[in-house]
Amino acid sequence: MEPKAKILLVDDDPDIIEAMCAVLHEYALITARDGLEGLAKLRSEKPDLMILDLMMPRMDGFAVCEELQDPRWAKYSNIPIIILTSVREGAGRRRYELGTGLQLRVNDYIEKPIDPPTLLMRVKTYLRKNG
């Protein structure tokens, strides 16, 4: 039996974490409750994919994306990132790009509320592309 793909879920909402655990039960799910914890787990766990909320305390998803563009994080640049947010994709990208002058380098957006079949399809797509 091949090992399960590891997914790092970074979200501060316990209800979202619980729902995502149920939907993504066939994967090894690692959770973090804010961007700082997410970056630490990215380093320690080396996941195959990251699902990242934009709006969180301490360090939000925008700041995580900005931090990951630093050359010190280059070895993690091949890990696909799916943004999970209640902020519409266009508004989220514009806010980030205006605030940082950088392109938001993520693979996909999934808006809340989450549609489980869509989430599973996209996760499988990015794991396959990366595998």
Side-chain angles (χ1 to χ4, degrees):
M1 185 173 157
E2 71 180 64
K4 292 180 176 183
K6 274 199 246 185
I7 297 174
L8 173 59
L9 170 62
V10 186
D11 198 305
D12 63 318
D13 184 334
D15 293 332
I16 293 291
I17 291 172
E18 185 178 332
M20 296 289 273
C21 286
V23 172
L24 299 171
H25 63 87
E26 64 190 81
Y27 300 102
L29 200 60
I30 302 141
T31 61
R33 299 217 179 234
D34 61 52
L36 291 174
E37 186 182 351
L39 289 172
K41 292 209 175 168
L42 179 64
R43 260 200 185 111
S44 66
E45 299 287 342
K46 297 172 186 64
D48 300 297
L49 180 134
M50 182 182 346
I51 299 174
L52 179 65
D53 186 23
L54 287 180
M55 306 309 224
M56 296 179 290
R58 288 192 344 145
M59 180 184 227
D60 66 19
F62 294 108
V64 170
C65 289
E66 189 172 352
E67 178 68 21
L68 290 175
Q69 292 189 33
D70 185 295
R72 293 174 294 174
W73 292 93
K75 68 181 176 182
Y76 304 99
S77 64
N78 66 326
I79 296 172
I81 299 173
I82 298 174
I83 294 292
L84 177 67
T85 187
S86 53
V87 177
R88 295 199 46 147
E89 176 181 355
R93 280 186 191 268
R94 272 195 304 282
R95 177 185 155 204
Y96 180 81
E97 291 168 2
L98 289 172
T100 65
L102 301 170
Q103 288 261 311
L104 188 56
R105 292 185 193 157
V106 299
N107 298 83
D108 208 344
Y109 270 80
I110 296 178
E111 291 182 20
K112 296 176 184 174
I114 303 156
D115 176 53
T118 300
L119 174 64
L120 280 171
M121 180 191 69
R122 292 187 186 176
V123 163
K124 286 177 182 172
T125 297
Y126 290 109
L127 288 174
R128 197 172 26 248
K129 281 183 185 177
N130 216 39

